[in-house]
Amino acid sequence: MVKKKRLGDILIEAGLIDQKKLQEAIELQKISKERLGKILVQFGYVSEEEIMRTLSHQLHIPFVDLSKQILDKKLVLLVPQNVAENYLLVPVSENKRILTVAMADPLNILAIDELTIRTKMSIDPVIALEVEIRRAIEELYGGSFLNQSDTGAEAGGSEEEKGEGVPEEETEEGPISQLVNLILTEAVRDRASDIHVEPDESQLRIRYRVDGMLRETTPLQAKYVNPVTSRIKIMSKLDIAERRSPQDGRFHFSSNGHSLDVRVSSFPTIYGENVVMRLLDQSSILLTLEDLGFLPEEYKKLLYLINIPYGFVLVTGPTGSGKTTTLYATLNSINDPQKNMITLEDPVEYRLGGIRQAQINAKAGLTFAAGLRSILRQDPDIIMVGEIRDGETANIAVQAALTGHLVFSTLHTNDAPSTLIRLSEMGIPPFLIASSVEGVLAQRLVRKLCPECREPYQPDPEIRRELGIPIGETPTLYRPKGCRLCKNSGYKGRLGIFELMIVNQEIKELLLQKASYGAITERATRNQGMKTLRMDGIAKVLKGITSVEELNRVTIRELPSVADQG
């Protein structure tokens, strides 16, 4: 227990102030009602850090630098925000019923007593700077979102839907609701695209996908599995009684100026329901083509391709490679009131002004194929089909391109040349592919190096060989290091690497001859100057935008030859 010793006496004993300075501060304190330590700092008699370190030394209480601490987010359930703000304290960790609390004034016995009564735990105070405590309160409590009337944080449906037949701990006022809001708010702050809520045997694991990579945060105790998943299902208007079948839903969430549509998928596992939430930030500004990361030469080719009057243009890559973002940026760049532009999507992720957007509804019979047939009767100029999933949809899209429409769509293939082979495998005759397809853009996403902490180095001979750097040249490359700005990952943000193939007359002739994938690739790279995904990625590594490790994560390295191994 902290000794009941006055701050002024401690500072005098440490030789930081004298009795006269202390008396001046006490006289002003009687008028201003400010804390004594704050008045002494304002007078310039002592710095806040000197006070904190002196208290730490004299009272044998640890001093902590909160800027280097990873705070346990779930502790907001133990310490309400008003208590944290009133007493200038923040919970740091909890272990075996002992709650460690960082305090600006560790001599405040009233604060310690109130925390002991509230938490029914032993309180272990540590000392921290006031400015760091205020920053930590903002980080932990997410800008007062716990009181929605003050901040405008909203989640779920109507008040009747939220409260009817729901236990108090699962309503907007309960701690479980606060915990789910905290998870969402933290994900928004970290720029996460997805939240994974994963029950294990002994805990509930929470992971955020940031810049394409999953990042684990503080896990919750296993007792939170059912309450947390039930709360998310209530917000998504799913059946909380059904725990054996997958379900899909969505809800709207607002926090600190961000308006999000959240798509929810639940899936039964042996330890409970696994929930994944996809965050679609409706308040964010859509990327333009210039933002996506095209090199100048490829950008010129793309501009030519998207401004042709008719034809079929495909964007390809695996799930999560940014295909939809590229299509949205494309539609924004060519949006024109003189053109009728219609999209068919599953789901509609962002609303585009001036463009008619339709949502796939298989239960109502609105599939990609059926919707595309109907769109052709709507007098369109430009059509965007979210994905070519079957031969029927592919065939209608090809016919639309042949009848004077500009059609954009996506397909799941590994690179640009294999897209033409894939269309043939879906039953489209080679002569129709050659007549309709004008270009294919394959892409992947790589993480950008954090500009604040990226670390220069000279590559060794093996890396130079991998990147095709001529012997004798020693360019400076960069690798990740990690800092507070990038959450110690070394990366911040993403950009695309691209492989753009224009289907010119040479490629069309190869298609009519039913040429192999290798022949098409060789012709496109040798005669057309097509940069492969890896070549485009190497150019961005040499520019210091991304790292060799990122390049190798998303593209296939060339195997070393026997001579190299020898």
Side-chain angles (χ1 to χ4, degrees):
M1 179 63 68
V2 179
K3 300 176 183 177
K4 293 184 179 180
K5 201 170 188 180
R6 293 184 301 179
L7 175 63
D9 295 335
I10 292 174
L11 296 178
I12 289 176
E13 289 177 15
L16 292 176
I17 60 172
D18 55 28
Q19 188 64 45
K20 181 181 178 182
K21 292 177 178 178
L22 174 62
Q23 195 58 43
E24 288 177 2
I26 290 174
E27 291 300 324
L28 183 58
Q29 184 188 31
K30 292 176 182 177
I31 301 171
S32 67
K33 307 301 181 183
E34 291 277 9
R35 291 186 301 111
L36 180 63
K38 188 171 184 178
I39 294 173
L40 290 169
V41 171
Q42 289 173 343
F43 275 7
Y45 293 155
V46 65
S47 70
E48 184 184 0
E49 185 166 352
E50 284 177 323
I51 293 177
M52 296 296 103
R53 292 193 180 278
T54 299
L55 288 173
S56 174
H57 176 73
Q58 293 284 341
L59 303 176
H60 306 289
I61 300 175
F63 176 82
V64 297
D65 183 354
L66 287 180
S67 66
K68 298 178 181 177
Q69 290 282 325
I70 298 176
L71 300 177
D72 190 342
K73 310 293 185 187
K74 68 177 181 290
L75 295 181
V76 297
L77 298 176
L78 298 174
V79 181
Q81 184 172 354
N82 65 320
V83 173
E85 291 176 340
N86 288 343
Y87 292 117
L88 277 180
L89 55 84
V90 65
V92 176
S93 62
E94 183 265 327
N95 184 34
K96 297 180 180 179
R97 306 298 297 170
I98 298 175
L99 182 64
T100 301
V101 179
M103 304 178 67
D105 181 9
L107 300 174
N108 192 332
I109 303 301
L110 291 177
I112 293 173
D113 287 346
E114 181 166 345
L115 284 178
T116 302
I117 294 169
R118 280 182 173 274
T119 64
K120 297 180 174 59
M121 294 183 183
S122 298
I123 305 302
D124 180 23
V126 295
I127 301 174
L129 296 176
E130 179 178 330
V131 64
E132 290 294 341
I133 289 177
R134 292 188 185 279
R135 181 198 61 78
I137 289 173
E138 175 67 23
E139 179 180 335
L140 267 183
Y141 295 91
S144 303
F145 78 87
L146 297 181
N147 184 352
Q148 294 189 24
S149 62
D150 293 336
T151 65
E154 298 174 354
S158 66
E159 291 303 316
E160 291 80 10
E161 289 168 335
K162 291 169 185 172
E164 185 176 351
V166 181
E168 181 182 355
E169 66 270 15
E170 294 179 359
T171 67
E172 285 297 326
E173 302 303 322
I176 296 303
S177 182
Q178 296 173 3
L179 179 58
V180 171
N181 283 356
L182 176 64
I183 291 169
L184 287 161
T185 303
E186 183 181 23
V188 172
R189 187 185 300 121
D190 288 351
R191 301 176 297 106
S193 61
D194 300 86
I195 304 172
H196 290 243
V197 181
E198 304 166 330
D200 284 339
E201 185 176 9
S202 59
Q203 64 182 12
L204 179 61
R205 186 163 66 161
I206 309 292
R207 295 195 290 172
Y208 301 142
R209 188 174 292 280
V210 180
D211 293 336
M213 306 295 286
L214 283 171
R215 180 185 298 170
E216 191 160 358
T217 186
T218 308
L220 303 175
Q221 298 174 20
K223 67 181 182 180
Y224 289 107
V225 170
N226 286 337
V228 167
T229 54
S230 293
R231 175 60 197 153
I232 295 171
K233 290 171 74 173
I234 289 169
M235 294 164 70
S236 313
K237 301 181 180 65
L238 301 180
D239 184 357
I240 63 172
E242 178 55 72
R243 299 182 183 274
R244 296 171 296 176
S245 299
Q247 296 186 66
D248 294 306
R250 64 193 309 153
F251 63 89
H252 184 76
F253 180 78
S254 298
S255 176
N256 296 330
H258 289 272
S259 177
L260 296 104
D261 281 334
V262 184
R263 296 208 318 261
V264 179
S265 171
S266 70
F267 186 81
T269 70
I270 58 173
Y271 296 120
E273 288 181 285
N274 199 85
V275 176
V276 175
M277 292 180 276
R278 168 66 57 88
L279 308 181
L280 303 173
D281 190 348
Q282 299 298 327
S283 60
S284 66
I285 300 174
L286 287 172
L287 293 177
T288 64
L289 286 175
E290 292 86 348
D291 298 325
L292 299 182
F294 286 96
L295 296 175
E297 184 179 345
E298 305 306 305
Y299 182 63
K300 289 178 183 176
K301 291 181 182 178
L302 181 66
L303 288 181
Y304 157 76
L305 195 60
I306 66 176
N307 284 287
I308 57 178
Y310 55 85
F312 196 9
V313 179
L314 285 151
V315 180
T316 76
T319 300
S321 59
K323 300 186 297 296
T324 302
T325 299
T326 298
L327 284 179
Y328 278 143
T330 298
L331 292 178
N332 263 339
S333 70
I334 60 176
N335 196 352
D336 185 343
Q338 296 181 345
K339 296 178 181 178
N340 183 20
M341 303 173 66
I342 306 178
T343 74
L344 195 59
E345 306 173 57
D346 185 23
V348 174
E349 295 191 2
Y350 295 97
R351 273 62 175 175
L352 304 175
I355 298 176
R356 309 281 76 75
Q357 295 174 268
Q359 166 80 48
I360 288 297
N361 187 345
K363 292 181 180 178
L366 183 57
T367 62
F368 278 115
L372 190 49
R373 283 196 194 91
S374 297
I375 283 176
L376 292 175
R377 296 191 287 271
Q378 291 286 311
D379 186 31
D381 296 297
I382 297 172
I383 302 169
M384 192 270 272
V385 182
E387 184 181 343
I388 301 295
R389 294 181 179 174
D390 51 55
E392 183 182 10
T393 307
N395 185 63
I396 301 170
V398 165
Q399 295 297 332
L402 291 173
T403 53
H405 304 93
L406 179 56
V407 181
F408 295 99
S409 191
T410 70
L411 196 62
H412 285 220
T413 59
N414 288 327
D415 54 24
S418 64
T419 302
L420 303 178
I421 307 298
R422 175 69 179 136
L423 287 173
S424 180
E425 292 172 348
M426 296 175 79
I428 308 300
F431 75 92
L432 288 181
I433 299 173
S435 301
S436 61
V437 178
E438 296 296 329
V440 182
L441 176 70
Q443 67 180 69
R444 300 289 188 279
L445 292 177
V446 294
R447 292 180 293 171
K448 294 192 292 186
L449 287 163
C450 175
E452 295 297 321
C453 66
R454 64 176 188 169
E455 185 177 64
Y457 73 102
Q458 294 298 317
D460 58 32
E462 183 180 349
I463 291 179
R464 290 204 299 271
R465 184 196 63 77
E466 275 188 28
L467 301 183
I469 300 171
I471 295 174
E473 292 187 16
T474 54
T476 299
L477 303 185
Y478 292 86
R479 58 191 169 200
K481 183 179 180 182
C483 65
R484 184 175 176 182
L485 181 67
C486 61
K487 303 277 187 180
N488 292 317
S489 68
Y491 298 95
K492 188 172 178 62
R494 289 191 292 177
L495 84 162
I497 60 173
F498 303 98
E499 178 177 296
L500 179 57
M501 182 178 71
I502 304 295
V503 183
N504 58 12
Q505 192 58 40
E506 286 185 275
I507 303 297
K508 292 178 188 292
E509 289 175 2
L510 288 176
L511 282 169
L512 294 174
Q513 297 166 14
K514 298 184 179 179
S516 67
Y517 161 80
I520 295 173
T521 303
E522 192 271 340
R523 186 70 61 89
T525 52
R526 179 167 55 85
N527 291 7
Q528 193 189 102
M530 181 186 78
K531 284 186 171 65
T532 65
L533 285 165
R534 186 159 182 86
M535 291 164 64
D536 191 59
I538 287 172
K540 285 158 185 172
V541 168
L542 295 176
K543 287 178 178 291
I545 300 172
T546 189
S547 66
V548 175
E549 293 79 9
E550 272 297 283
L551 175 65
N552 290 337
R553 183 177 67 84
V554 300
T555 64
I556 298 176
R557 285 186 283 179
E558 181 183 344
L559 283 172
S561 65
V562 175
D564 292 334
Q565 292 175 348

